[in-house]
Amino acid sequence: MVIGGQHEMPPLDEYLKDADRLAQQVVNAWGIDAHAGLVPTPQFKALLGKACLYRTARRLADNHRKFDVMSEAEEAEELAVRHSFAEAYKAFYEKQTAAS
């Protein structure tokens, strides 16, 4: 969204809703860059790490939900990891947008 010539960044809730898609985008970008022989920045590596942790936590939680063995602690862990990834993605995206 553009307001007064400035891009308004989406709120954290938007990143949380799209966490699955955004994590996949990060993994895809890493794959494309790696295939091209590009070395990721430390900031991107940190984001990739959080994306991978989120995807793993999500997959585990989904499996536990499927078999109805999800504990409250596991659910809280999944939400915490998702929140951490969303915050990291938002910060990375905002920094990249501001630099361009």
Side-chain angles (χ1 to χ4, degrees):
M1 176 187 295
V2 178
I3 297 177
Q6 298 291 324
H7 286 278
E8 182 180 312
M9 295 298 151
L12 183 60
D13 288 347
E14 293 298 316
Y15 295 95
L16 288 166
K17 279 192 250 176
D18 289 338
D20 291 343
R21 182 181 60 81
L22 297 174
Q24 185 62 53
Q25 285 181 350
V26 171
V27 171
N28 290 349
W30 171 70
I32 291 167
D33 287 354
H35 184 70
L38 300 174
V39 177
T41 64
Q43 296 84 3
F44 185 80
K45 282 183 182 179
L47 180 62
L48 177 62
K50 287 187 183 281
C52 290
L53 285 173
Y54 168 66
R55 288 168 43 103
T56 300
R58 177 62 185 238
R59 191 169 33 255
L60 178 63
D62 285 347
N63 285 338
H64 286 190
R65 280 187 202 98
K66 180 178 176 181
F67 296 103
D68 198 28
V69 293
M70 182 75 156
S71 71
E72 288 180 21
E74 289 170 326
E75 188 171 351
E77 176 67 18
E78 179 198 11
L79 293 174
V81 172
R82 183 167 118 195
H83 198 272
S84 177
F85 167 68
E87 286 178 330
Y89 188 94
K90 182 178 189 294
F92 184 85
Y93 179 77
E94 288 175 355
K95 186 176 180 184
Q96 295 297 313
T97 301
S100 62

